[in-house]
Amino acid sequence: MMVENNGVRLNVQVDGAQGPDAPTVVFANSLGTNLHLWDPIMDLLPAGPRYIRWDKRGHGASDVPPAPYSMGTLIADAEAVCDALAVRDCVFVGLSVGGMIAQGLAVKRMDIVRAMVLSNTGAKLGTPKLWNDRIAAVRSQGMAALADGIMERWFGPAFRKSPAVAPWKDMLLNTDPEGYAGVCGAIAGTDFITPTSGLRLPTMGIAGSDDGSTPPDLVRETVDLIPGSDFHIIRRAGHLPCVEQPQEYVDLLTGFLTRTGTI
């Protein structure tokens, strides 16, 4: 289905239960990926909840408005998706920039987010110079120039050298450079350390031991801003542990859904 926010159409997929009365889990994916990032775990997730995922603006089958985007706009997109599907009291699972969206939405809409999973993310990611350099590179050279370096940050050595990496590299290469640059701009301007430190909701952090984008210490520092949160490292995984270690990822999610009374 398509959900519109201020003239931008967002591609949304709903799996599992279809009605708004079911417990709901919302997934927000990373820069350079689309909603199919979560495909490796979907068949492993427990039955019962409604599972919602969408393509960020500039990614997948969603519209690609001109860059740059703001983090406030990405959060408003998430809000529009949730409101269109009558989502309330959900568990919000955000990976990388999706985790920043989770933090911002939890601050803005406590009626939507009851608990959250911050996966391979931070309250602040990199520096404005890093992201501006990335924007300049993608504008001048396209996605192919960045792909090998991104694969090194996304995946551990064994996975990266295997044929299994091919569809994920293709997903990155098929990302519109304008959309990629737009989301880079949103990340560059975001520092959620203060607002995230004010959050009081059940939170679990997940990191990959081989993550070259958001190392475990960064994820731990972020979830530690929220009292009562817990933190887990998935071994032999990089920035996208739901791809490299899907069963372990689902085991952690299932435990969290059980502890929060979602299932």
Side-chain angles (χ1 to χ4, degrees):
M1 62 178 290
M2 286 287 181
V3 170
E4 187 172 310
N5 183 38
N6 290 329
V8 174
R9 296 175 307 150
L10 304 165
N11 180 47
V12 181
Q13 183 164 328
V14 181
D15 295 285
Q18 296 297 303
D21 293 336
T24 299
V25 182
V26 178
F27 293 95
N29 45 279
S30 58
L31 172 67
T33 68
N34 57 44
L35 60 79
H36 295 293
L37 171 67
W38 305 104
D39 282 357
I41 69 169
M42 296 310 296
D43 289 341
L44 304 174
L45 289 166
R50 176 175 58 153
Y51 297 107
I52 298 171
R53 43 190 171 142
W54 84 99
D55 292 331
K56 288 183 303 300
R57 61 176 55 211
H59 288 65
S62 291
D63 287 347
V64 186
Y69 314 149
S70 71
M71 186 59 64
T73 298
L74 298 183
I75 293 164
D77 287 345
E79 190 177 7
V81 169
C82 290
D83 281 341
L85 290 162
V87 174
R88 296 295 180 267
D89 297 323
C90 80
V91 175
F92 198 105
V93 182
L95 193 152
S96 195
V97 66
M100 302 184 98
I101 292 168
Q103 294 167 66
L105 186 62
V107 169
K108 184 179 182 182
R109 291 290 301 272
M110 290 186 293
D111 59 323
I112 292 177
V113 183
R114 179 174 62 85
M116 64 181 179
V117 176
L118 299 180
S119 178
N120 306 81
T121 191
K124 185 179 189 306
L125 298 180
T127 63
K129 182 181 185 306
L130 180 153
W131 295 111
N132 289 332
D133 288 350
R134 186 90 60 93
I135 291 167
V138 77
R139 287 203 180 285
S140 62
Q141 303 172 61
M143 296 304 304
L146 304 178
D148 287 343
I150 290 172
M151 290 303 106
E152 289 184 9
R153 294 189 293 274
W154 275 10
F155 300 115
F159 189 91
R160 197 167 64 243
K161 294 171 185 174
S162 76
V165 78
W168 306 103
K169 188 172 184 178
D170 288 344
M171 182 182 286
L172 176 72
L173 291 172
N174 289 328
T175 301
D176 191 299
E178 187 74 9
Y180 189 90
V183 174
C184 285
I187 299 170
T190 300
D191 182 343
F192 277 158
I193 292 174
T194 297
T196 296
S197 67
L199 288 171
R200 298 294 181 268
L201 76 169
T203 301
M204 177 174 69
I206 299 177
S209 63
D210 303 326
D211 189 342
S213 293
T214 53
D217 284 350
L218 174 64
V219 184
R220 185 192 294 271
E221 289 167 5
T222 300
V223 298
D224 281 351
L225 294 171
I226 303 169
S229 61
D230 61 349
F231 172 77
H232 303 272
I233 296 178
I234 297 181
R235 304 291 173 185
R236 302 179 306 283
H239 191 54
L240 308 178
C242 54
V243 173
E244 284 187 271
Q245 304 292 344
Q247 187 61 62
E248 188 171 351
Y249 200 87
V250 166
D251 289 345
L252 289 173
L253 288 183
T254 302
F256 186 70
L257 295 176
T258 301
R259 292 194 302 277
T260 55
T262 306
I263 57 173

